[in-house]
Amino acid sequence: MKDALLRFPEAIEHDPDIDVWLNSEPYELRSIARKWFALMRQCGNDVRELMHDGCPTACIGDAAFGYVNTFRSHVNVGFFNGAALKDPARLLVGTGIRMRHVNLMPGIEIDGSALTALIRAAYGDMKVRLFVE
């Protein structure tokens, strides 16, 4: 599991640049991202964060587990080790070796409890990876 960790030693407890990003345009999309990133922030006292590749990224300590990003017409809620997550609601998309994400679009309902479970699972998965390391 060690090889699957993406590390960001510069992650901090609360990055004010993330709040600026989450509260900027495009407002409709960023409000969706804000909701799901807030859940990542609430996963545990060990959650740290940073802007990585222009988007808010959540870590346990320095090990990244999730991110949000906005595009022209949708939001991604992504997981750095998403391919390892159980996804009974089949929300995850992507074909990479490790990463997967969920696409969210304004006005289109998704299974919020399933996405919440994925966020918590990504956090839990990273806790295990860090323990094994």
Side-chain angles (χ1 to χ4, degrees), residues 14-87:
H14 185 89
D15 185 341
D17 290 341
I18 290 176
D19 293 325
V20 170
W21 188 93
L22 290 169
N23 291 298
S24 64
E25 292 185 30
Y27 297 117
E28 184 176 28
L29 295 173
R30 297 280 167 96
S31 70
I32 295 168
R34 188 169 50 246
K35 173 183 177 177
W36 297 107
F37 197 75
L39 188 57
M40 290 181 194
R41 282 175 159 167
Q42 296 166 5
C43 283
N45 292 333
D46 52 359
V47 172
R48 300 294 178 262
E49 60 190 43
L50 75 153
M51 291 295 289
H52 169 66
D53 283 346
C55 61
T57 300
C59 303
I60 297 176
D62 68 350
F65 72 91
Y67 69 92
V68 296
N69 203 356
T70 57
F71 297 89
R72 188 170 293 172
S73 62
H74 72 281
V75 175
N76 279 1
V77 177
F79 307 100
F80 290 95
N81 289 297
L85 301 177
K86 293 180 181 172
D87 180 24

Side-chain angles (χ1 to χ4, degrees), residues 75-124:
V75 175
N76 279 1
V77 177
F79 307 100
F80 290 95
N81 289 297
L85 301 177
K86 293 180 181 172
D87 180 24
R90 303 182 73 133
L91 296 178
L92 293 172
V93 297
T95 58
I97 293 171
R98 292 188 182 93
M99 294 182 72
R100 297 287 184 277
H101 63 275
V102 176
N103 287 327
L104 305 175
M105 292 181 238
I108 298 177
E109 290 295 318
I110 60 119
D111 185 340
S113 61
L115 182 50
T116 297
L118 283 171
I119 291 170
R120 290 183 178 145
Y123 173 81

